[in-house]
Structures are given as structure tokens and as C-alpha cells.
Amino acid sequence: MSNPAYVVFNVNVIDSEQYDKYRIFSGQAMAEHGAEVLVRGGEMTVLEGSAHARTVILKFPSVEKAQDFYDSETYKAGRELRKDAAVADIFIVEGVA
């Protein structure tokens, strides 16, 4: 059995109109790949260091499934829209079962 995996997005939106277009593709890719949304925006308290304005955390059954989401044609189309709309740090973290 695989460990779950989490895709973490730390984002500063610079063009909200363009970012909304990205969100359409992102949401479609999440639905296509069975992402479970754990965090989407929300109130944040920074305890140390600095944070981006927006954090999103998606859960997938495995690292491979998370990578499939990120590499999907649907999400690739969204990434093209996001590249000029936001500054983002995005990574996959393997969880524990």
C-alpha cells in the first residue's frame, strides 16, 4: 500500500482575473485525478519566517497520483495561464500511512 501524498501550493496572486482562468483548469484537473482538498486559502497565522498570501493543500493516494495530476494535460493548460498571474512554490510531500 502506498503512502498518501500532498501537493502544497504557496501562492502570491498578481493578476486575479488571469488567476481565475487558471483556477478553472486546476479545478478540472483536481476532479479528474481525485484530489481531496484539505486547505484552500483560509485564515493563516505565521509562526516563523514568511508565508505567501494563499496556501492550498491537496491530498492524493500516492506520490505517483499526485505527479499524474501535476503532469496532466488539463493541469498543464492551467499552469500556462498561472505563470503570468501568480508567483508560486509548489511541491509534493509524501505522507505517512
Side-chain angles (χ1 to χ4, degrees):
M1 185 167 134
S2 297
N3 288 340
Y6 304 87
V7 179
V8 180
F9 301 77
N10 291 312
V11 182
N12 287 325
V13 177
I14 54 178
D15 181 340
S16 59
E17 188 174 309
Q18 184 72 10
Y19 192 77
D20 285 345
K21 294 175 185 176
Y22 152 77
R23 289 176 62 182
I24 293 168
F25 285 90
S26 177
Q28 183 178 338
M30 291 183 328
E32 289 171 359
H33 294 274
E36 180 183 349
V37 179
L38 300 179
V39 173
R40 184 182 284 159
E43 195 68 31
M44 185 181 341
T45 302
V46 178
L47 300 175
E48 295 187 30
S50 59
H52 292 296
R54 180 173 175 79
T55 297
V56 175
I57 302 174
L58 306 178
K59 182 179 180 183
F60 292 88
S62 67
V63 169
E64 293 77 20
K65 296 289 186 184
Q67 191 70 56
D68 289 345
F69 155 80
Y70 185 80
D71 292 337
S72 71
E73 291 302 316
T74 304
Y75 193 70
K76 283 181 188 177
R79 288 192 336 238
E80 281 299 308
L81 293 168
R82 190 195 68 236
K83 72 180 181 182
D84 294 325
V87 176
D89 295 321
I90 302 168
F91 50 90
I92 297 171
V93 179
E94 183 176 18
V96 293

